Amino acid sequence: MQLKSLATAKLSAKAAAILAVGALTLTACGGSSTPAASSEGGVQLITPGKLTVCSDVPYEPFEFQKDGKIVGFDMDIAAEVAKDLKAELSVVDSSFEAIETGTALTQCDVSISSISITDTRKSVMDFSDPYLDDDLTLVASVSSGITNLEGAKGKKVGVQQATTGAQYAKDKGLDAQQFEDTGLLVQALKAGTIDAALGNQSVLGYAIKDDSNFKRVENFATGEKLGIAIKKGNTAMATQVNGTLKRLTDDGTMAKFKTTWFGETSK
């Protein structure tokens, strides 16, 4: 997904917000003064008995609020990692700027937020095995007349700040309007203030799947793969997370999650 560069005020506000998933009670995330606690397999958790996960909300269908709970594809995976650790799941709603720079991992055990694995990010954090292929797409309103990327030049195109989609648009010569999060990007597309949006297929495809006023006009095979971010050198956590991802793949649970959130044709 994402590369975002958000305002400092938003970074501070989001990094301070602690949200619980599912039926969990709102909990405070342990800071730097909280001693690490051992869990099974030698995994160290920031807060005893809790797997603290940083995620940038909203980013449908990966993480978003519904009926007072944070749900989505990433949240289903996070819950399974916590289950295998025999830990409670606690989610910190963080800015993606903090997530992609690795800063979020000072207050969270892992970051799960549709994070594309890149060499730049690998220099400041470790990644799990990939859990989803997620190339880019250009979606446009039917009335815009846009049929491909070239036809989008000169039109109002939106991207999410600091995402791989934003970088791709820049590389291809698009003067795109940048939005702080995907929720604002999709709102602008549906309100007609922009003609098209460029971003990951999973998110934008989900956003327009039931709306005949919009269509995917061109896909871009960028080879993006999503992974779970882990603090550099934390091999115990990496082994644990990869074990959960393998279990979910082998027993068919991952395929069920994909069908639930992306439909039958998703990868």
Side-chain angles (χ1 to χ4, degrees):
M1 138 183 167
Q2 319 186 357
L3 296 161
K4 291 179 208 172
S5 91
L6 303 178
T8 303
K10 182 178 179 184
L11 174 61
S12 299
K14 293 195 78 173
I18 308 296
L19 300 132
V21 174
L24 300 181
T25 305
L26 192 66
T27 57
C29 175
S32 58
S33 62
T34 303
S38 294
S39 185
E40 283 195 15
V43 173
Q44 299 289 313
L45 297 176
I46 289 174
T47 301
K50 295 182 184 294
L51 175 69
T52 308
V53 174
C54 274
S55 192
D56 179 28
V57 184
Y59 196 73
E60 295 185 45
F62 290 91
E63 43 267 340
F64 61 101
Q65 292 194 51
K66 183 178 181 181
D67 299 328
K69 302 174 184 178
I70 304 178
V71 299
F73 179 66
D74 280 342
M75 295 299 97
D76 284 350
I77 293 173
E80 292 293 327
V81 175
K83 184 174 75 173
D84 286 351
L85 280 167
K86 296 179 173 58
E88 186 181 9
L89 177 61
S90 180
V91 179
V92 176
D93 183 8
S94 177
S95 76
F96 199 78
E97 182 179 51
I99 290 172
E100 72 137 355
T101 59
T103 305
L105 292 173
T106 62
Q107 63 174 332
C108 292
D109 298 304
V110 297
S111 292
I112 307 178
S113 193
S114 181
I115 311 167
S116 296
I117 301 170
T118 68
D119 289 340
T120 299
R121 291 170 182 172
K122 285 165 70 175
S123 70
V124 293
M125 67 190 81
D126 290 337
F127 279 97
S128 69
D129 295 334
Y131 65 88
L132 187 73
D133 295 336
D134 199 12
D135 289 330
L136 298 176
T137 190
L138 179 68
V139 302
S141 64
V142 174
S143 62
S144 70
I146 296 172
T147 58
N148 54 34
L149 188 65
E150 188 64 28
K153 293 180 179 179
K155 300 281 190 176
K156 295 178 181 178
V157 179
V159 294
Q160 184 176 349
Q161 282 183 0
T163 62
T164 50
Q167 185 61 49
Y168 191 85
K170 181 179 179 181
D171 292 344
K172 295 300 180 180
L174 288 177
D175 183 18
Q177 181 177 348
Q178 299 199 13
F179 293 84
E180 288 186 345
D181 60 50
T182 189
L184 294 174
L185 173 62
V186 171
Q187 285 176 25
L189 180 67
K190 295 196 172 184
T193 57
I194 57 175
D195 302 307
L198 197 158
N200 288 95
Q201 294 180 9
S202 57
V203 175
L204 293 182
Y206 175 86
I208 67 167
K209 66 184 178 72
D210 296 321
D211 195 332
S212 60
N213 294 312
F214 302 92
K215 61 182 179 179
R216 286 169 60 166
V217 297
E218 190 172 2
N219 297 321
F220 312 102
T222 54
E224 287 192 48
K225 296 180 183 294
L226 307 185
I228 296 171
I230 302 162
K231 189 174 292 185
K232 201 76 177 168
N234 192 346
T235 55
M237 180 64 79
T239 298
Q240 181 71 40
V241 169
N242 285 334
T244 296
L245 293 177
K246 185 177 187 305
R247 172 179 67 78
L248 297 177
T249 300
D250 291 348
D251 68 12
T253 301
M254 187 70 80
K256 291 178 182 177
F257 288 166
K258 290 177 181 179
T259 298
T260 297
W261 296 109
F262 307 118
E264 295 291 344
T265 60
S266 66
K267 294 180 181 179

